[in-house]
Amino acid sequence: MSTETPSGTVRLTVAQAVVRFLSSQFSERDGIRRQFFGGVLGIFGHGNVAGVGQALLEAELEADAGDGWKAPAQVPYTTGRNEQAMVHTAVGYARQKDRLQAMAVTASIGPGSTNMLTGAALATVNRIPVLLLASDVFATRAASPVLQELEADTGYDVSVNDAFRPLSRFFDRVWRPEQLPAALLGAMRVLTDPAQTGAATLCLPQDVQAEAFDWPAELFRERTWRIARPVPEKALVQEVADLVRSAKTPLVVAGGGVTYSEADDALRTFVEATGIPVGQTQAGKGTLPYDHPLCLGAIGSTGTTAANEIAAEADLVIGVGTRYSDFTTASRTAFQNPGVRFVNVNVAALDAVKHAGLPVLADAREALEALTTALAGFSTPDAYRERAARLNREWDAVVESYYRSGLGEREGVLAQAEVLGAVDEVADARDVVVCAAGSLPGDLHCMWRTRERKGYHVEYGYSCMGYEIPGGIGVRMAAPDRDVFITVGDGSYLMMPTELVTAVQEHVKVVVVLLQNHGFASIGALSESRGSQRYGTRYRYRDEEGHLAGEKLPVDLAANAESLGVRVLRAHTREELVAALRDAKASPESTLVHVETDLHSEAPDGGAWWDVPVSQVSHLGSTQSARVEYERQKARQRPLL
Ligand SMILES: Cc1ncc(C[n+]2csc(CCOP(=O)(O)OP(=O)(O)O)c2C)c(N)n1
Ligand SMILES: [Mg+2]
């Protein structure tokens, strides 16, 4: 325990100082102040057990005794199972909290820390704040090389943690205690900046973590970080308004920035006033409910015919909070109007200048409100609104036909869309569906009926297999009053079932819907369409000719989940599935619902393309014909748009 000295300093170790600092950080937006760090996740090894581990223990015990650090509230600590997964949980949490709150992750040196690299990339790509406390080798080098140390003969100050540099929006290594205050403030600056946010990595050498220092008490005073809402320039708003007034077929592309800015209501007001329909990216889905007459749903490669039809004709695209990934632009084939222009509302300059658009560097809500005012009295013609509403209804009829195809009954194994239909039937409007990789994200993007904001959580910036379960746990930790349906394929499940143990330990209730189709439906279909004959995409024994095309493997993923302590229900028919989902929803504990699905089940076609190159030369007929089709599609690409 430590107390402030008359000289205004506090004697603590570096790790104790880090833990105390974390508990004193707040964020504020729209007058609401929140504790910034909602938790610390960790796995201990010799790199952090006696440093950060000791500090967390001391903090927990002092908080219990009530004589702690006069901190507003203790930051709770949770043990995870895999460092990459812990970063996913932190990302799920921060995303569900609209980036207003986040988590820190502590890992041991060497593999403990490098296991977080994929998580760091995922956080930075998706622009979600996470604080990574990567332990590092001795600063004093007293006993070098220590266990798990990389010895670089090009320089002794290199460690494996340098691999975090390109993946982090802020990176620092605290070689000496004196460097810590600036490093902590630097990390907070990035974590709370909507345009800069992503992974902030602080490398803490294992000896430095345990070193004591006299810190200025000021370091631990409560600090409130305002999450900025930059306002658009007036003249720019006028320019955009003029563009909108002269447009015939304007379209809004709503991205994640709309959600993070809590601009959903502002978007609705803007589109209802102006009659401009909306296409949604993966991160932007849910910004308008699926059945809003101006909601065209998913746009791009995994989009709806509704959004893609309007996109092809649009003469003005107003991108709000989108980074225009290849899935959104259908690899730059979605926007075919020769005169199409872009207006890009974004807090990040990087995105605002894309597609030679008019950059509006501003917060989504501020910009949409300013535009609504500037466009007072303007509306697209009734016929345009009616067309959007019709396209919306037509697509929903397509969704219904897939949700209720009856294929399961006819074929003996459920189609994936039927499983989504069953989840749709059981889930409440406020529940959250979670996914990340495989064929599910595309199916969810175009089919899921999102009813309320934050009801759709598909990690599609990095589309990382294995994100689903830990990410979904983070979502539930952020929103304990909403049921979380994690939909996960067998491939993704096998990558990272580990955190089911954490869900059990912490009584974090999630419903996992595990779709076992014995391989990769997604990459299998992609492989086939690109002439590679589904090679290596099935979970099979080798056949007599030595190919992986023999009998199905005898894996029982339901039994696997059961062995981790989670309740498991097995469903075979639609009725059983609905019953199992209802049971899981009613239960206070986590449940995994296991269902076999058809590897070849189809999703509705939104008519858009995705650029995945096909071999230019090949002896295979399948590849040659795929190449012909590839070149035909490639010709539609507008790379300089
Ligand atoms: C970590 C990681 N490795 C590889 C990929 C490439 N990939 C995308 S989807 C997929 C297969 C997913 O299989 P599964 O979870 O069973 O879903 P399904 O395709 O069967 O729907 C692969 C290998 C990825 N997205 N992430
Ligand atoms: Mg699969």
Side-chain angles (χ1 to χ4, degrees):
M1 198 183 306
S2 64
T3 44
E4 200 171 318
T5 64
S7 62
T9 59
V10 186
R11 191 161 176 79
L12 294 171
T13 67
V14 165
Q16 290 160 358
V18 169
V19 170
R20 186 182 289 206
F21 178 88
L22 296 188
S23 70
S24 309
Q25 307 308 304
F26 291 78
S27 69
E28 185 186 321
R29 191 166 71 180
D30 304 329
I32 302 170
R33 191 167 172 264
R34 304 165 171 90
Q35 180 144 26
F36 187 69
F37 288 101
V40 179
L41 300 160
I43 293 177
F44 298 128
H46 64 284
N48 59 345
V49 68
V52 172
Q54 189 279 340
L56 287 164
L57 166 71
E58 194 167 285
E60 191 171 306
L61 296 179
E62 286 184 1
D64 283 353
D67 61 351
W69 356 306
K70 297 186 199 78
Q74 186 216 341
V75 179
Y77 174 73
T78 303
T79 299
R81 299 297 170 299
N82 173 306
E83 292 86 355
Q84 181 191 135
M86 294 192 299
V87 186
H88 295 338
T89 297
V91 167
Y93 178 88
R95 176 169 163 176
Q96 192 67 19
K97 292 282 196 185
D98 287 322
R99 311 192 297 202
L100 301 167
Q101 289 170 281
M103 285 188 175
V105 185
T106 169
S108 190
I109 69 167
S113 283
T114 55
N115 260 0
M116 296 197 295
L117 285 168
T118 297
L122 184 147
T124 294
V125 167
N126 284 286
R127 322 239 172 120
I128 301 294
V130 293
L131 176 62
L132 305 182
L133 302 173
S135 298
D136 221 319
V137 293
F138 275 58
T140 58
R141 301 184 192 155
S144 284
V146 295
L147 178 67
Q148 300 168 331
E149 178 166 349
L150 171 81
E151 289 188 272
D153 54 9
T154 52
Y156 297 150
D157 66 343
V158 174
S159 94
V160 291
N161 284 355
D162 287 291
F164 281 98
R165 286 181 191 271
L167 308 178
S168 304
R169 297 309 312 262
F170 180 80
F171 174 96
D172 203 2
R173 185 180 277 121
V174 183
W175 289 120
R176 292 192 52 81
E178 292 89 328
Q179 297 166 336
L180 183 69
L184 288 171
L185 296 174
M188 286 305 300
R189 166 179 61 78
V190 163
L191 293 172
T192 56
D193 180 340
Q196 296 275 311
T197 199
T201 304
L202 291 184
C203 299
L204 303 172
Q206 61 179 111
D207 49 351
V208 177
Q209 284 181 38
E211 213 173 311
F213 188 74
D214 295 313
W215 309 97
E218 167 62 20
L219 181 62
F220 308 114
R221 300 243 157 83
E222 285 183 10
R223 229 174 228 95
T224 303
W225 301 80
R226 276 172 215 286
I227 312 288
R229 287 196 181 279
V231 294
E233 283 179 41
K234 278 204 184 102
L236 208 47
V237 171
Q238 210 41 61
E239 200 177 332
V240 176
D242 292 345
L243 282 173
V244 173
R245 282 178 200 279
S246 58
K248 298 260 174 309
T249 45
L251 169 71
V252 167
V253 176
V258 175
T259 319
Y260 303 138
S261 153
E262 296 173 282
D264 315 64
D265 288 345
L267 177 70
R268 181 194 282 254
T269 306
F270 174 74
V271 300
E272 286 177 357
T274 60
I276 304 177
V278 179
Q280 298 173 323
T281 72
Q282 283 277 11
K285 191 169 157 85
T287 47
L288 273 187
Y290 82 99
D291 53 356
H292 189 284
L294 287 162
C295 184
L296 303 170
I299 190 166
S301 304
T302 50
T304 65
T305 45
N308 288 338
E309 184 180 310
I310 299 283
E313 289 172 35
D315 58 357
L316 181 68
V317 176
I318 308 166
V320 188
T322 174
R323 59 192 195 96
Y324 292 112
S325 81
D326 63 345
F327 266 81
T328 298
T329 67
S331 301
R332 301 194 187 225
T333 62
F335 306 108
Q336 287 292 334
N337 186 323
V340 64
R341 294 196 59 181
F342 289 77
V343 168
N344 303 322
V345 176
N346 213 296
V347 284
L350 171 74
D351 298 313
V353 298
K354 286 177 180 171
H355 299 288
L358 179 64
V360 181
L361 265 182
D363 168 68
R365 199 178 81 185
E366 292 290 343
L368 286 166
E369 285 175 358
L371 283 171
T372 305
T373 307
L375 281 163
F378 167 83
S379 171
T380 59
D382 285 350
Y384 194 56
R385 286 179 184 254
E386 282 155 19
R387 183 176 167 206
R390 176 176 52 78
L391 288 170
N392 171 305
R393 285 193 305 273
E394 283 173 5
W395 182 259
D396 198 53
V398 172
V399 172
E400 187 63 19
S401 71
Y402 276 80
Y403 275 6
R404 293 280 184 178
S405 65
L407 275 169
E409 209 163 319
R410 288 200 297 280
E411 312 282 331
V413 56
L414 285 165
Q416 184 158 291
E418 291 181 281
V419 175
L420 297 184
V423 180
D424 175 73
E425 190 177 321
V426 172
D428 284 344
R430 271 179 58 70
D431 293 347
V432 188
V433 67
V434 176
C435 197
S439 56
L440 280 162
D443 287 10
L444 287 166
H445 192 212
C446 67
M447 286 194 273
W448 187 251
R449 291 167 171 159
T450 313
R451 292 170 171 91
E452 286 208 23
R453 77 177 300 269
K454 311 297 300 182
Y456 183 86
H457 184 118
V458 175
E459 186 282 293
Y460 217 61
Y462 213 46
S463 186
C464 184
M465 290 169 76
Y467 174 86
E468 296 86 351
I469 292 172
I473 289 170
V475 172
R476 174 70 180 193
M477 287 167 106
D481 58 333
R482 300 174 82 158
D483 263 319
V484 175
F485 286 89
I486 298 170
T487 57
V488 60
D490 48 353
S492 293
Y493 176 86
L494 281 167
M495 284 250 178
M496 206 159 275
T498 51
E499 303 316 297
L500 286 175
V501 179
T502 309
V504 170
Q505 159 193 298
E506 299 295 331
H507 300 284
V508 175
K509 185 216 162 169
V510 289
V511 180
V512 181
V513 186
L514 169 53
L515 292 85
Q516 185 160 5
N517 57 15
H518 305 274
F520 304 161
S522 52
I523 305 300
L526 182 66
S527 167
E528 189 169 330
S529 70
R530 300 310 195 267
S532 296
Q533 304 177 18
R534 294 188 177 254
Y535 178 68
T537 63
R538 272 169 267 190
Y539 292 153
R540 299 273 173 165
Y541 281 112
R542 290 198 182 276
D543 62 16
E544 278 145 28
E545 281 136 43
H547 303 304
L548 288 171
E551 292 295 310
K552 273 185 191 161
L553 299 178
V555 281
D556 184 347
L557 296 181
N560 175 274
E562 241 155 19
S563 77
L564 300 177
V566 76
R567 201 168 75 105
V568 171
L569 301 172
R570 297 168 198 246
H572 305 93
T573 62
R574 195 178 189 285
E575 291 67 42
E576 281 178 23
L577 179 59
V578 168
L581 290 168
R582 284 198 203 289
D583 184 331
K585 185 160 167 57
S587 168
E589 293 293 334
S590 289
T591 306
L592 181 140
V593 177
H594 178 273
V595 58
E596 295 261 342
T597 51
D598 182 4
L599 187 66
H600 302 275
S601 61
E602 284 186 3
D605 185 4
W609 183 61
W610 183 34
D611 190 347
V612 177
V614 178
S615 299
Q616 208 166 358
V617 292
S618 169
H619 299 298
L620 302 177
S622 61
T623 308
Q624 288 163 2
S625 51
R627 178 72 196 187
V628 172
E629 171 62 9
Y630 177 72
E631 284 171 13
R632 197 178 68 80
Q633 295 284 357
K634 184 88 179 157
R636 298 173 58 240
Q637 207 164 39
R638 305 183 67 193
L640 297 177
L641 208 71

